Amino acid sequence: ARNIICATIGSLPLEVRRESNNSRVVTPPFIRQPDPRMTGQSVYTFLAEDILFTGNGYLQILELGTDGRPLSAQWVSASRIGKVLDQSSANVTGYTLDNAKLPTSGLGSLIPFTGYDEGLLNRAGTTILTALALEKAVKRFADEPTPNVVLKSNLPMPAERVTALLDSWKQARQTRGTAFVNDTIDFQSIGFSPEQLTLNSARQYMASEIARACNLPEYYVGGNAGGSMTYSNVTAERRNLIDMSLRPLMSCITQRLSDIDITPRGSIVKYDLEEFYSPSAIERADIYQKLIPLGVMTVDEAREREDLINDTN
């Protein structure tokens, strides 16, 4: 779920537009790649992850321009950031990085990104812990491929022989998948198989719970709900993914980047979703078939959009 949400957001290009008429303007390098040492995709993926999990994300200013706006900034994990509160403990007056107080403005200060809730770890912590506990139960059954058993001796045995018997029994099951006992040892199963414990269905249920907590369709993470993506509906599925799952998190990032301390007044930062929403080849061919006879588009324009025009220079 994290990879679907955060990596998708990190891969989407950002652009700057005029707020008055939505026309494109030159996008500053800072918006596309805040940290010159990392790809913009990596920075925004980690930033989205912090906002998703903790409700807050942070960039630390490394370089300022003559207009006082940042030219470069590095992503800082939210786990390293502390908040300095006022006397009422209601308002944030500053931040610390690894317990060291940071300046409130200028170089070294933070650009905070506030999420839309308290974060997944706080909101759905119990669900995540339950899923982890279930995975531990599954691992126990993977480590012990047969049900729990009792070996009962019909004759008295010293403690060291009991230990040796148990060790050899365990080693035989792990290396050969079976073990041998003579007629003086009784074998009794007291455990349950994974099927009896319905571990598979429990894992699917927890996957569904995780999907709900992340606001994702259940089949994205292998939940119980049916449905799948096909070639014909992939465009619609992508729109639904953005509109129903990713847009709240995307808005947390773009609205902060649109503030006047980062972007000049009158301009706003948006995600460019044209390529992400691009229809399939079959759908595009159908569009060209309708537009070219109407004179809205020429064959050469259609070929150019499909990158089919050779450069002869």
Side-chain angles (χ1 to χ4, degrees):
R2 177 268 181 197
N3 289 344
I4 291 172
I5 294 172
C6 301
T8 300
I9 291 176
S11 68
L12 297 174
L14 289 162
E15 61 182 5
V16 179
R17 291 178 176 263
R18 289 188 178 88
E19 195 169 11
S20 58
N21 56 15
N22 201 40
S23 61
R24 283 187 174 92
V25 299
V26 177
T27 302
F30 175 79
I31 298 298
R32 295 192 181 275
Q33 188 179 4
D35 191 341
R37 303 165 301 178
M38 296 177 64
T39 63
Q41 177 175 351
S42 297
V43 172
Y44 287 117
T45 297
F46 291 134
L47 182 63
E49 176 183 333
D50 278 344
I51 299 173
L52 173 68
F53 284 138
T54 70
N56 294 280
Y58 303 94
L59 296 179
Q60 185 180 27
I61 298 175
L62 299 177
E63 185 181 5
L64 290 172
T66 56
D67 58 359
R69 294 187 175 91
L71 295 178
S72 65
Q74 65 180 353
W75 165 77
V76 179
S77 173
S79 63
R80 301 174 59 194
I81 300 298
K83 296 179 180 179
V84 180
L85 305 178
D86 60 9
Q87 292 183 347
S88 64
S89 298
N91 301 306
V92 178
T93 60
Y95 296 94
T96 61
L97 174 60
D98 298 331
N99 297 320
K101 193 171 182 179
L102 294 173
T104 57
S105 62
L107 293 176
S109 64
L110 295 181
I111 304 173
F113 293 76
T114 304
Y116 53 88
D117 65 4
E118 67 273 29
L120 185 67
L121 297 182
N122 295 309
R123 172 168 48 83
T126 301
T127 301
I128 297 172
L129 290 175
T130 302
L132 289 172
L134 180 61
E135 287 302 302
K136 291 179 180 179
V138 173
K139 185 178 184 303
R140 283 196 297 269
F141 274 96
D143 293 338
E144 299 286 342
T146 59
N148 294 328
V149 298
V150 167
L151 298 180
K152 181 180 179 181
S153 175
N154 297 321
L155 299 173
M157 296 179 62
E160 59 271 13
R161 188 177 176 186
V162 172
T163 301
L165 175 63
L166 293 177
D167 289 342
S168 61
W169 174 269
K170 182 177 180 180
Q171 182 178 4
R173 286 190 301 156
Q174 290 179 339
T175 57
R176 302 187 185 93
T178 185
F180 169 80
V181 293
N182 58 32
D183 56 2
T184 64
I185 303 294
D186 290 335
F187 168 89
Q188 181 181 359
S189 174
I190 62 170
F192 298 93
S193 68
E195 292 79 10
Q196 291 173 314
L197 291 177
T198 64
L199 288 180
N200 288 337
S201 59
R203 294 180 78 188
Q204 285 190 329
Y205 170 77
M206 289 311 306
S208 297
E209 290 298 298
I210 293 293
R212 293 188 186 103
C214 295
N215 202 29
L216 282 175
E218 294 179 30
Y219 58 82
Y220 271 98
V221 293
N224 287 318
S228 62
M229 296 178 65
T230 65
Y231 184 79
S232 60
N233 66 11
V234 64
T235 302
E237 286 291 344
R238 286 188 172 190
R239 290 184 180 274
N240 289 336
L241 179 65
I242 293 290
D243 293 340
M244 304 303 297
S245 301
L246 308 189
R247 194 174 296 279
L249 192 54
M250 293 163 60
S251 296
C252 297
I253 295 175
T254 56
Q255 289 184 16
R256 181 64 184 92
L257 293 176
S258 299
D259 286 345
I260 59 174
D261 62 330
I262 299 177
T263 302
R265 191 183 301 274
S267 298
I268 57 175
V269 178
K270 288 186 173 182
Y271 280 99
D272 182 3
L273 300 175
E274 182 177 354
E275 183 178 348
F276 188 78
Y277 285 160
S278 179
S280 66
I282 294 176
E283 292 170 326
R284 295 197 304 273
D286 184 59
I287 293 172
Y288 300 149
Q289 189 176 15
K290 293 177 180 178
L291 294 182
I292 292 175
L294 294 175
V296 178
M297 176 182 291
T298 66
V299 174
D300 286 342
E301 288 173 337
R303 289 175 58 82
E304 184 178 0
R305 285 200 174 192
E306 294 299 313
D307 199 20
L308 298 175
I309 295 181
N310 295 324
D311 187 358
T312 58
N313 296 327

